Amino acid sequence: MLIRPDHPAFATPLARFKGVGPQTMARLAAEGLFTAGDILSICPRFYQDRRRVAAITDLRPDEEALAEAVVVSARPGFSPRTRRRYLECQVEDDSGRLTLCWFNAPAYLLKSFYKGRRLRVFGRVRFTGRRLEMAHPDLEFLPEDEPTLSAARSDPESSASEFTVRPVYGPVGQLSSGQVKKFVVQALSFLNGGPPLFPAAWLAAHGLEDYLDALRTLHSPPADFQGPVPRPAETRAYGRLVFFELVFWRLLMLKARAGVMTTAKPRPRLKAGERALASFWAALSFSPSPEQRRVSLEITADLSGRRP
């Protein structure tokens, strides 16, 4: 979980979120999650690359892919080996055929897979026998009049939101990954229109985006970049959040020091001159580094003052 500062966007109680009842709130509280800021401090586990629709003939085993197809047939089945019921659906596009499989699927789902129905699936591809298969893929049925993603992407005026890099969260305690994702999406809405944490001039002078922008990018990464999708901890946004975390800690230390300086009672000065410090360094079994010498001088100066 990420360290985050106080800000109005983070203060909204999770009890006001849609889908949070007494039982869910108890599960959130058990994990120390009470506000929108607490939820946004959860880092995605990984990203799913849904930027391109792959033709079935281009699918490769052990890779995740997004595909569009039409239903050819669907049937229920039973596996004697695993003693589980399953639903098998054959789909195809212009290039080939793909098998979709769901174990312990509800009976009513079979009626949804009528011949010719268009759908979109995302999942990990595998070879089963001599056929390509996706087990338990994410499924979306498409309206008949909706353009395919490949057609939408070729349209420069299209803003199809399906071309995404989608964050995936791990379960937190008794909260499922789907619940965490749902609450993060709601929490992100509170970041819109909020005041920035740092002055715009300071950010521009140091070539930085605001903390809120980096947090938004971490949970909703852009899809308009080339190359493979990085892990969340390898992104620029995550690096910025780590930098700001160090800034926050530094500011807290300076604030605490200022409070001590104004409230502490005067004390006797402890004189530790350069000669005593040199003797201390000489008595060490190692040669102090430049940073260690600098800190030693700061401590010596601090001890010589009337206040810490």
Side-chain angles (χ1 to χ4, degrees), residues 192-203:
N192 299 326
L197 279 171
F198 295 93
W202 182 84
L203 293 171

Side-chain angles (χ1 to χ4, degrees), residues 264-288:
K265 296 180 179 180
R267 66 179 184 190
R269 294 180 179 179
L270 298 178
K271 295 183 179 181
E274 294 183 3
R275 181 176 300 178
L277 192 57
S279 299
F280 168 73
W281 288 337
L284 296 175
S285 60
F286 60 91
S287 178

